[in-house]
mmCIF file of all heavy atoms in Angstrom:
data_model
loop_
_atom_site.group_PDB
_atom_site.id
_atom_site.type_symbol
_atom_site.label_atom_id
_atom_site.label_comp_id
_atom_site.label_asym_id
_atom_site.label_seq_id
_atom_site.Cartn_x
_atom_site.Cartn_y
_atom_site.Cartn_z
ATOM 1 N N TYR A 193 -260.276 176.455 -90.003
ATOM 2 C CA TYR A 193 -260.632 175.143 -90.627
ATOM 3 C C TYR A 193 -259.665 174.620 -91.668
ATOM 4 O O TYR A 193 -259.871 173.597 -92.236
ATOM 5 C CB TYR A 193 -261.979 175.286 -91.346
ATOM 6 C CG TYR A 193 -263.148 175.665 -90.448
ATOM 7 C CD1 TYR A 193 -263.685 176.922 -90.486
ATOM 8 C CD2 TYR A 193 -263.687 174.730 -89.531
ATOM 9 C CE1 TYR A 193 -264.711 177.299 -89.660
ATOM 10 C CE2 TYR A 193 -264.796 175.079 -88.693
ATOM 11 C CZ TYR A 193 -265.231 176.355 -88.676
ATOM 12 O OH TYR A 193 -266.313 176.761 -87.898
ATOM 13 N N ARG A 194 -258.620 175.363 -91.922
ATOM 14 C CA ARG A 194 -257.718 175.143 -92.958
ATOM 15 C C ARG A 194 -256.281 174.860 -92.561
ATOM 16 O O ARG A 194 -255.354 175.120 -93.327
ATOM 17 C CB ARG A 194 -257.777 176.330 -93.990
ATOM 18 C CG ARG A 194 -259.155 176.619 -94.504
ATOM 19 C CD ARG A 194 -259.194 178.057 -95.128
ATOM 20 N NE ARG A 194 -258.378 178.090 -96.344
ATOM 21 C CZ ARG A 194 -258.831 177.863 -97.543
ATOM 22 N NH1 ARG A 194 -260.049 177.447 -97.764
ATOM 23 N NH2 ARG A 194 -257.927 177.922 -98.541
ATOM 24 N N GLY A 195 -256.074 174.417 -91.314
ATOM 25 C CA GLY A 195 -254.715 174.268 -90.811
ATOM 26 C C GLY A 195 -253.957 173.054 -91.217
ATOM 27 O O GLY A 195 -254.537 172.226 -92.025
ATOM 28 N N PRO A 196 -252.780 172.825 -90.624
ATOM 29 C CA PRO A 196 -251.947 171.658 -91.052
ATOM 30 C C PRO A 196 -252.738 170.376 -90.809
ATOM 31 O O PRO A 196 -253.531 170.238 -89.822
ATOM 32 C CB PRO A 196 -250.773 171.726 -90.114
ATOM 33 C CG PRO A 196 -250.687 173.221 -89.724
ATOM 34 C CD PRO A 196 -252.103 173.759 -89.756
ATOM 35 N N GLY A 197 -252.591 169.433 -91.807
ATOM 36 C CA GLY A 197 -253.300 168.219 -91.736
ATOM 37 C C GLY A 197 -254.536 168.195 -92.585
ATOM 38 O O GLY A 197 -255.058 167.127 -92.951
ATOM 39 N N SER A 198 -255.164 169.358 -92.910
ATOM 40 C CA SER A 198 -256.292 169.426 -93.823
ATOM 41 C C SER A 198 -255.855 169.337 -95.277
ATOM 42 O O SER A 198 -254.723 169.681 -95.593
ATOM 43 C CB SER A 198 -257.068 170.725 -93.619
ATOM 44 O OG SER A 198 -256.303 171.849 -93.938
ATOM 45 N N GLU A 199 -256.682 168.744 -96.076
ATOM 46 C CA GLU A 199 -256.403 168.621 -97.514
ATOM 47 C C GLU A 199 -256.089 169.990 -98.160
ATOM 48 O O GLU A 199 -255.125 170.121 -98.959
ATOM 49 C CB GLU A 199 -257.589 167.961 -98.144
ATOM 50 C CG GLU A 199 -257.324 167.647 -99.715
ATOM 51 C CD GLU A 199 -258.427 166.976 -100.327
ATOM 52 O OE1 GLU A 199 -259.334 166.424 -99.567
ATOM 53 O OE2 GLU A 199 -258.474 166.856 -101.623
ATOM 54 N N VAL A 200 -256.846 171.040 -97.796
ATOM 55 C CA VAL A 200 -256.671 172.317 -98.435
ATOM 56 C C VAL A 200 -255.410 172.918 -98.018
ATOM 57 O O VAL A 200 -254.797 173.687 -98.752
ATOM 58 C CB VAL A 200 -257.870 173.208 -98.125
ATOM 59 C CG1 VAL A 200 -257.865 173.678 -96.628
ATOM 60 C CG2 VAL A 200 -257.922 174.483 -99.022
ATOM 61 N N TYR A 201 -254.946 172.621 -96.836
ATOM 62 C CA TYR A 201 -253.662 173.147 -96.335
ATOM 63 C C TYR A 201 -252.531 172.743 -97.329
ATOM 64 O O TYR A 201 -251.601 173.485 -97.657
ATOM 65 C CB TYR A 201 -253.356 172.728 -94.910
ATOM 66 C CG TYR A 201 -252.083 173.388 -94.314
ATOM 67 C CD1 TYR A 201 -252.135 174.604 -93.767
ATOM 68 C CD2 TYR A 201 -250.837 172.701 -94.378
ATOM 69 C CE1 TYR A 201 -250.975 175.215 -93.175
ATOM 70 C CE2 TYR A 201 -249.717 173.343 -93.873
ATOM 71 C CZ TYR A 201 -249.771 174.519 -93.276
ATOM 72 O OH TYR A 201 -248.651 175.093 -92.749
ATOM 73 N N GLU A 202 -252.490 171.455 -97.643
ATOM 74 C CA GLU A 202 -251.470 170.916 -98.499
ATOM 75 C C GLU A 202 -251.507 171.577 -99.946
ATOM 76 O O GLU A 202 -250.481 171.763 -100.527
ATOM 77 C CB GLU A 202 -251.530 169.396 -98.608
ATOM 78 C CG GLU A 202 -251.399 168.687 -97.257
ATOM 79 C CD GLU A 202 -250.129 169.140 -96.535
ATOM 80 O OE1 GLU A 202 -249.006 169.276 -97.188
ATOM 81 O OE2 GLU A 202 -250.137 169.288 -95.241
ATOM 82 N N GLU A 203 -252.795 171.723 -100.400
ATOM 83 C CA GLU A 203 -252.981 172.393 -101.643
ATOM 84 C C GLU A 203 -252.348 173.763 -101.735
ATOM 85 O O GLU A 203 -251.742 174.159 -102.643
ATOM 86 C CB GLU A 203 -254.398 172.422 -102.151
ATOM 87 C CG GLU A 203 -255.020 170.992 -102.345
ATOM 88 C CD GLU A 203 -256.527 171.034 -102.541
ATOM 89 O OE1 GLU A 203 -257.092 172.176 -102.408
ATOM 90 O OE2 GLU A 203 -257.103 170.015 -102.755
ATOM 91 N N ILE A 204 -252.670 174.533 -100.702
ATOM 92 C CA ILE A 204 -252.194 175.884 -100.649
ATOM 93 C C ILE A 204 -250.693 176.015 -100.432
ATOM 94 O O ILE A 204 -249.981 176.870 -100.869
ATOM 95 C CB ILE A 204 -252.960 176.736 -99.537
ATOM 96 C CG1 ILE A 204 -254.466 176.733 -99.888
ATOM 97 C CG2 ILE A 204 -252.457 178.200 -99.519
ATOM 98 C CD1 ILE A 204 -254.881 177.157 -101.217
ATOM 99 N N ASN A 205 -250.195 174.965 -99.653
ATOM 100 C CA ASN A 205 -248.731 174.953 -99.484
ATOM 101 C C ASN A 205 -247.979 174.882 -100.800
ATOM 102 O O ASN A 205 -246.888 175.387 -100.924
ATOM 103 C CB ASN A 205 -248.397 173.795 -98.591
ATOM 104 C CG ASN A 205 -247.831 174.203 -97.241
ATOM 105 O OD1 ASN A 205 -247.810 175.395 -96.928
ATOM 106 N ND2 ASN A 205 -247.389 173.202 -96.372
ATOM 107 N N SER A 206 -248.583 174.158 -101.758
ATOM 108 C CA SER A 206 -247.938 174.020 -103.060
ATOM 109 C C SER A 206 -247.869 175.380 -103.746
ATOM 110 O O SER A 206 -246.900 175.697 -104.462
ATOM 111 C CB SER A 206 -248.615 172.924 -103.939
ATOM 112 O OG SER A 206 -249.903 173.412 -104.271
ATOM 113 N N VAL A 207 -248.955 176.233 -103.590
ATOM 114 C CA VAL A 207 -248.973 177.542 -104.152
ATOM 115 C C VAL A 207 -247.897 178.404 -103.490
ATOM 116 O O VAL A 207 -247.106 179.138 -104.074
ATOM 117 C CB VAL A 207 -250.362 178.126 -103.963
ATOM 118 C CG1 VAL A 207 -250.267 179.597 -104.393
ATOM 119 C CG2 VAL A 207 -251.357 177.436 -104.743
ATOM 120 N N TYR A 208 -247.840 178.339 -102.091
ATOM 121 C CA TYR A 208 -246.856 179.106 -101.369
ATOM 122 C C TYR A 208 -245.451 178.755 -101.754
ATOM 123 O O TYR A 208 -244.587 179.644 -102.015
ATOM 124 C CB TYR A 208 -246.990 178.822 -99.866
ATOM 125 C CG TYR A 208 -245.938 179.495 -99.029
ATOM 126 C CD1 TYR A 208 -245.716 180.838 -98.950
ATOM 127 C CD2 TYR A 208 -244.950 178.626 -98.391
ATOM 128 C CE1 TYR A 208 -244.567 181.347 -98.260
ATOM 129 C CE2 TYR A 208 -243.906 179.122 -97.672
ATOM 130 C CZ TYR A 208 -243.681 180.529 -97.652
ATOM 131 O OH TYR A 208 -242.640 181.014 -96.995
ATOM 132 N N ASN A 209 -245.128 177.401 -101.815
ATOM 133 C CA ASN A 209 -243.756 176.942 -102.125
ATOM 134 C C ASN A 209 -243.378 177.430 -103.576
ATOM 135 O O ASN A 209 -242.274 177.823 -103.779
ATOM 136 C CB ASN A 209 -243.674 175.435 -102.092
ATOM 137 C CG ASN A 209 -243.731 174.960 -100.696
ATOM 138 O OD1 ASN A 209 -243.299 175.685 -99.705
ATOM 139 N ND2 ASN A 209 -244.312 173.768 -100.450
ATOM 140 N N TYR A 210 -244.260 177.406 -104.473
ATOM 141 C CA TYR A 210 -244.002 177.854 -105.864
ATOM 142 C C TYR A 210 -243.648 179.389 -105.860
ATOM 143 O O TYR A 210 -242.685 179.744 -106.495
ATOM 144 C CB TYR A 210 -245.273 177.591 -106.762
ATOM 145 C CG TYR A 210 -245.084 178.136 -108.170
ATOM 146 C CD1 TYR A 210 -244.415 177.331 -109.168
ATOM 147 C CD2 TYR A 210 -245.604 179.372 -108.544
ATOM 148 C CE1 TYR A 210 -244.361 177.747 -110.432
ATOM 149 C CE2 TYR A 210 -245.533 179.827 -109.866
ATOM 150 C CZ TYR A 210 -244.844 179.002 -110.778
ATOM 151 O OH TYR A 210 -244.663 179.408 -112.065
ATOM 152 N N LEU A 211 -244.506 180.208 -105.185
ATOM 153 C CA LEU A 211 -244.265 181.525 -105.121
ATOM 154 C C LEU A 211 -242.894 181.951 -104.390
ATOM 155 O O LEU A 211 -242.137 182.749 -104.837
ATOM 156 C CB LEU A 211 -245.368 182.314 -104.493
ATOM 157 C CG LEU A 211 -246.763 182.357 -105.245
ATOM 158 C CD1 LEU A 211 -247.840 182.912 -104.452
ATOM 159 C CD2 LEU A 211 -246.554 183.183 -106.500
ATOM 160 N N ARG A 212 -242.719 181.228 -103.245
ATOM 161 C CA ARG A 212 -241.564 181.473 -102.418
ATOM 162 C C ARG A 212 -240.235 181.125 -103.237
ATOM 163 O O ARG A 212 -239.312 181.913 -103.281
ATOM 164 C CB ARG A 212 -241.577 180.716 -101.107
ATOM 165 C CG ARG A 212 -240.402 180.885 -100.229
ATOM 166 C CD ARG A 212 -240.285 179.848 -99.203
ATOM 167 N NE ARG A 212 -240.124 178.511 -99.799
ATOM 168 C CZ ARG A 212 -240.161 177.367 -99.088
ATOM 169 N NH1 ARG A 212 -240.438 177.447 -97.720
ATOM 170 N NH2 ARG A 212 -240.097 176.271 -99.644
ATOM 171 N N ASN A 213 -240.293 180.026 -103.886
ATOM 172 C CA ASN A 213 -239.039 179.439 -104.577
ATOM 173 C C ASN A 213 -238.720 180.291 -105.764
ATOM 174 O O ASN A 213 -237.523 180.236 -106.205
ATOM 175 C CB ASN A 213 -239.194 177.984 -104.840
ATOM 176 C CG ASN A 213 -239.338 177.123 -103.612
ATOM 177 O OD1 ASN A 213 -238.826 177.462 -102.530
ATOM 178 N ND2 ASN A 213 -239.910 175.948 -103.754
ATOM 179 N N ASN A 214 -239.710 180.878 -106.350
ATOM 180 C CA ASN A 214 -239.449 181.542 -107.702
ATOM 181 C C ASN A 214 -239.552 183.117 -107.637
ATOM 182 O O ASN A 214 -238.897 183.781 -108.373
ATOM 183 C CB ASN A 214 -240.411 180.996 -108.691
ATOM 184 C CG ASN A 214 -240.270 179.560 -108.945
ATOM 185 O OD1 ASN A 214 -239.233 179.117 -109.486
ATOM 186 N ND2 ASN A 214 -241.306 178.748 -108.623
ATOM 187 N N TYR A 215 -240.386 183.599 -106.708
ATOM 188 C CA TYR A 215 -240.652 185.062 -106.785
ATOM 189 C C TYR A 215 -240.537 185.786 -105.540
ATOM 190 O O TYR A 215 -240.149 186.983 -105.528
ATOM 191 C CB TYR A 215 -242.062 185.252 -107.369
ATOM 192 C CG TYR A 215 -242.280 184.533 -108.712
ATOM 193 C CD1 TYR A 215 -243.159 183.551 -108.861
ATOM 194 C CD2 TYR A 215 -241.516 185.005 -109.899
ATOM 195 C CE1 TYR A 215 -243.356 182.842 -110.076
ATOM 196 C CE2 TYR A 215 -241.718 184.336 -111.095
ATOM 197 C CZ TYR A 215 -242.638 183.303 -111.154
ATOM 198 O OH TYR A 215 -242.840 182.664 -112.407
ATOM 199 N N LEU A 216 -241.000 185.262 -104.380
ATOM 200 C CA LEU A 216 -241.191 185.964 -103.200
ATOM 201 C C LEU A 216 -239.898 186.063 -102.341
ATOM 202 O O LEU A 216 -239.800 185.469 -101.282
ATOM 203 C CB LEU A 216 -242.357 185.439 -102.359
ATOM 204 C CG LEU A 216 -243.621 185.432 -103.048
ATOM 205 C CD1 LEU A 216 -244.739 184.944 -102.096
ATOM 206 C CD2 LEU A 216 -244.029 186.853 -103.505
#
Side-chain angles (χ1 to χ4, degrees):
Y193 298 107
R194 305 165 61 90
S198 66
E199 183 178 344
V200 70
Y201 185 87
E202 299 307 319
E203 292 173 357
I204 302 308
N205 247 3
S206 65
V207 173
Y208 169 68
N209 289 331
Y210 178 83
L211 289 172
R212 181 195 61 187
N213 295 336
N214 296 296
Y215 305 114
L216 299 182

